Amino acid sequence: MASGEQQQFPPQRQEKQPGKEHVMEPTPQFSSQDYKPSNKLHGKIALITGGDSGIGRAVAHAFVLEGATVAFTYVKGVEDKDASDTIGMLMQAKVSDAKDPISIPADLGYDENCKRVVEEVVNKFGRIDILVNNAAEQYEAVSVEEIDEERLERVFRTNIFSYFLMVRHALKHMKEGSSIINTTSINAYRGHPKLLEYTSTKGAIVAFTRALSLHLVEKGIRVNGVAPGTIWTPLIPASFTEEEVKSFGTEVPMKRAGQPIEVAPCFVFLACNHCSSYISGQVLHPNGGAVVNA
């Protein structure tokens, strides 16, 4: 994963969101032999939305290596294989006294589904210590005129409604020392000319993170965010043209796309109380060297 080396991906395109990790070439890297766990999340219960692939999978894997019990959501009928693969990976990686990971199919854009997910996790594990809001979708648009109301609502439901709704229900089962981590994007800070509604939701997530951190500080619950840059995930071939995929990442200072495992340690750091107990309302920026006004 050296910087400064020119990189190209094989041209590829997936026609439907969310993308599928198991058909990508090369497969995104969710783990690394260089990652050395140190029991940072021992005994914690974590719920990760969109945890079947991409950044979510890497976060789930890092969490179980650190001793956490993990539940994650995925889209039924589209991400079943990725979810099944992830469960297998987590089972192999989990520590002996952690409980078995679970996957929950859900469309998180709707309140009743978010409530059901939280209740299933609590019924299984008793509480939630770490909530990672990560599920997202995005679509290119050459002109704002091609973004109709239905598409706009769909993206906002997935990317920001779900964050509000998951927090709304999870908070009943979180206590002092718990952590909420929201996945935003570099696009919230620099914009993106072809990802108009996606970028708008990511800006909303930054504002939501800052406001929620102030809202929950007296309860001892920390709220932070991670703003990944150009990362090789299923969103990429499911969003961009073959030519755009081929050159994906070459524009950043490090001249390459990042891998999900290069983002996951940010979530571990923010979830771990003895690493980040004095940090709330902040956003970390694993983005390959791009300088943003954060």
Side-chain angles (χ1 to χ4, degrees), residues 203-263:
I205 291 166
V206 172
F208 175 59
T209 298
R210 291 170 174 170
L212 188 64
S213 72
L214 298 174
H215 181 68
L216 295 179
V217 66
E218 291 184 358
K219 295 184 177 181
I221 298 175
R222 296 182 300 107
V223 185
N224 292 289
V226 178
T230 306
I231 310 298
W232 183 237
T233 74
L235 269 182
I236 305 312
S239 304
F240 301 126
T241 67
E242 290 189 358
E243 282 303 308
E244 288 171 325
V245 169
K246 184 178 178 181
S247 61
F248 182 69
T250 57
E251 76 283 2
V252 304
M254 290 188 181
K255 302 300 181 185
R256 65 173 181 85
Q259 293 290 338
I261 182 55
E262 297 180 282
V263 179

Side-chain angles (χ1 to χ4, degrees), residues 98-166:
K99 297 177 182 177
D100 289 350
I102 62 172
S103 58
I104 306 171
D107 179 349
L108 298 176
Y110 299 90
D111 184 73
E112 63 270 20
N113 296 341
C114 293
K115 181 180 180 182
R116 175 180 58 80
V117 167
V118 168
E119 289 176 346
E120 187 167 338
V121 173
V122 173
N123 288 339
K124 184 76 173 179
F125 302 129
R127 68 184 190 281
I128 296 171
D129 300 307
I130 305 161
L131 172 64
V132 175
N133 285 311
N134 173 71
E137 57 185 279
Q138 66 180 23
Y139 306 91
E140 276 197 315
V142 176
S143 168
V144 68
E145 296 172 353
E146 66 186 79
I147 304 172
D148 60 21
E149 184 177 355
E150 180 180 1
R151 173 170 143 175
L152 185 65
E153 180 180 351
R154 177 67 242 173
V155 174
F156 268 76
R157 281 194 175 278
T158 299
N159 294 12
I160 182 62
F161 281 27
S162 71
Y163 286 35
F164 270 90
L165 299 173
M166 290 300 296

